[in-house]
Amino acid sequence: MTDPAKPQLVRVLGRWTMVALVINGVIGSGIFGLPDDLVRFVGAAAPWAYVFATIGVAIYMGVFAELGSQFREAGGPYLFAREGCGRFWGIQMGWFIWLVRLTAAAANANLFVVYLGEFWPGVTAPAPRIALLVLLLGGLVITNIRGVGHGGRLSNFLTTAKLVPISLLILAGLLWTGTPVTQPHVEATPAGWMNAVLALLFAFGGFEAALMPLAEGKDPRRDIPFALFTGLLVIAGCLLLTQIVAMRTVPDLAGSERPLADAARALVGPIGAGFIAIGAMVSTSGYLSAQLVGVPRQTYAMAERGDFPKNFGLVHARFRTPWVSILIWGGLVLALAIYGNFIWNAIISAGARLVTYGIACVALIRLRKLRPQADAFRLPAGPLVALAGLALCAVLVGQMSATHAVVIGLIATIGAANWFAVRRN
């Protein structure tokens, strides 16, 4: 029963704010670096990789849409796993999701500094870099502590701001009347196709963060499925069309370090490259904004249920936000942005995401049995779709390296220790 003396979260996040959180949670830095990688993997067939990856991601988004529509509390995937598979697996999901989002946010914060270096080279020196990271993350933390409405509106603004340069690049590329370049021939081997789909499946990841602040959503049952599938259409369209534009305009795309900047340079000259650099900065800051709205609500939910230190569950009396969770998460992102690196983030994200998707698929099957009459969105052939998602996870697990296995084992051990410490609560 709710304690009337305890400050409560408020329901102010509407349907389109949820859509913005989904888009912001996925489109960060990846869109600016994927086109060259895809051409290296499968050559001219790269656009088809987006089609196949979109189908795979749609499976997992469908699973999360059904799960998210059943709950009105904060926590997202952690809550789904806890209710469907038990406390142990809920805590495991919580740790995997938290660490994936933490390291991904730190990488995006670093990329913000890298892109700003296009205009101010000295900012990449140690002291200015740290000062900029403190200002960037500190500003976002304060905005989100002052109210989820402020954080949601900032996310909406940055979503629009990041889509503008991407949309203009796509429009200019599709209307371009120059002679399209021909990419060097690359043999699309089965291994290349697997690498391409893997890269895109992970690039599409991050949408689950939008499901964490359900306690502040106006109507999760209706808004979550709409937000996920609308977001998927926008994200898939942006990724596919930027790939096509880059392949039409950048000679030897596989050798490009900044493919979209090179495409903009080919279309409108040096000013275009600068415009895309600004777009990349807006994109990474928008990603960080969405993460600060979503991820702290998971540790808040875990603390609320006795699965995490209780201070993470404190709600600010005036602003009605989980201020301790926001503050600690922002501080950890800052620390990793200063001391971490991209390789570590990639390793954790690649392996951990398979675990979270797999647990979510099992949770859907279990909750169909536990809550057969739930007032929720029902994914057509939901259990079969979930089984297809599990099969895809199994295929992708076969591509994992020993390093992935070590990292997954370490995170699972931390989660198990957490469960052991709180199991008697």
Side-chain angles (χ1 to χ4, degrees):
M1 188 172 180
T2 302
D3 182 0
K6 178 184 176 182
Q8 301 296 314
L9 303 179
V10 292
R11 295 190 178 277
V12 298
L13 300 179
R15 170 171 292 192
W16 288 104
T17 298
M18 290 293 186
V19 173
L21 289 174
V22 171
I23 295 172
N24 257 337
V26 175
I27 297 182
S29 59
I31 192 171
F32 296 92
L34 276 174
D36 57 312
D37 294 320
L38 270 293
V39 170
R40 279 195 292 272
F41 290 142
V42 294
W48 285 104
Y50 289 89
V51 176
F52 300 141
T54 300
I55 295 171
V57 172
I59 291 174
Y60 297 118
M61 280 198 173
V63 168
F64 277 97
E66 175 166 327
L67 293 173
S69 70
Q70 297 186 49
F71 296 90
R72 292 176 58 84
E73 302 89 5
Y78 151 75
L79 182 60
F80 312 156
R82 195 181 196 275
E83 294 296 312
C85 304
R87 190 179 192 186
F88 175 84
W89 289 107
I91 292 174
Q92 288 287 348
M93 176 75 94
W95 273 99
F96 275 97
I97 289 283
W98 198 48
L99 291 178
V100 168
R101 301 270 59 81
L102 180 65
T103 51
N108 272 265
N110 269 322
L111 284 170
F112 180 93
V113 178
V114 170
Y115 285 118
L116 182 59
E118 287 286 311
F119 308 100
W120 177 20
V123 78
T124 56
R129 174 175 169 271
I130 292 173
L132 178 63
L133 288 170
V134 170
L135 288 173
L136 172 65
L137 290 165
L140 291 172
V141 165
I142 291 172
T143 299
N144 279 276
I145 286 177
R146 286 181 59 82
V148 69
H150 294 293
R153 285 190 291 273
L154 179 60
S155 176
N156 292 346
F157 169 76
L158 291 173
T159 300
T160 303
K162 79 164 59 175
L163 291 178
V164 167
I166 293 172
S167 300
L168 290 176
L169 175 68
I170 291 170
L171 184 62
L174 295 179
L175 296 178
W176 185 53
T177 57
T179 303
V181 300
T182 301
Q183 299 298 328
H185 178 71
V186 174
E187 186 67 30
T189 64
W193 275 109
M194 183 59 69
N195 286 331
V197 173
L198 274 171
L200 285 171
L201 282 175
F202 298 133
F204 273 98
F207 60 85
E208 62 274 9
L211 281 66
M212 295 175 186
L214 292 184
E216 291 144 299
K218 292 180 179 179
D219 188 1
R221 180 186 178 279
R222 296 179 180 275
D223 293 346
I224 288 302
F226 177 85
L228 286 172
F229 292 121
T230 302
L232 177 60
L233 290 175
V234 173
I235 294 161
C238 287
L239 290 173
L240 173 60
L241 292 174
T242 51
Q243 179 73 43
I244 292 172
V245 168
M247 291 176 67
R248 292 187 72 218
T249 57
V250 181
D252 191 18
L253 180 60
S256 173
E257 293 184 358
R258 296 174 182 171
L260 293 197
D262 289 341
R265 186 178 291 109
L267 291 168
V268 294
I271 192 172
F275 185 64
I276 288 300
I278 293 173
M281 291 165 57
V282 172
S283 183
T284 52
S285 59
Y287 178 92
L288 291 168
S289 176
Q291 299 305 299
L292 271 162
V293 172
V295 179
R297 271 68 182 179
Q298 175 175 287
T299 46
Y300 162 82
M302 295 177 75
E304 195 176 40
R305 288 165 177 77
D307 291 344
F308 226 56
K310 64 180 181 180
N311 285 341
F312 281 82
L314 294 178
V315 175
H316 197 284
R318 177 183 175 188
F319 301 126
R320 302 295 183 89
T321 54
W323 67 277
V324 173
S325 281
I326 294 172
L327 186 62
I328 291 177
W329 198 77
L332 290 173
V333 172
L334 175 63
L336 282 178
I338 293 172
Y339 298 109
N341 58 62
F342 294 108
I343 295 175
W344 187 45
N345 168 66
I347 291 173
I348 292 180
S349 295
R353 191 158 288 137
L354 295 179
V355 176
T356 62
Y357 289 170
I359 296 175
C361 289
V362 174
L364 182 145
I365 296 171
R366 291 275 298 150
L367 285 171
R368 279 283 182 110
K369 295 180 179 179
L370 295 172
R371 300 179 173 185
Q373 305 301 323
D375 181 21
F377 164 76
R378 287 304 195 195
L379 181 67
L384 292 178
V385 173
L387 288 173
L390 285 171
L392 182 56
C393 282
V395 172
L396 298 180
V397 164
Q399 306 300 312
M400 286 171 50
S401 66
T403 305
H404 288 136
V406 170
V407 171
I408 286 178
L410 178 61
I411 300 173
T413 300
I414 294 172
N418 186 164
W419 170 81
F420 186 80
V422 304
R423 74 192 190 285
R424 297 186 186 279
N425 291 353

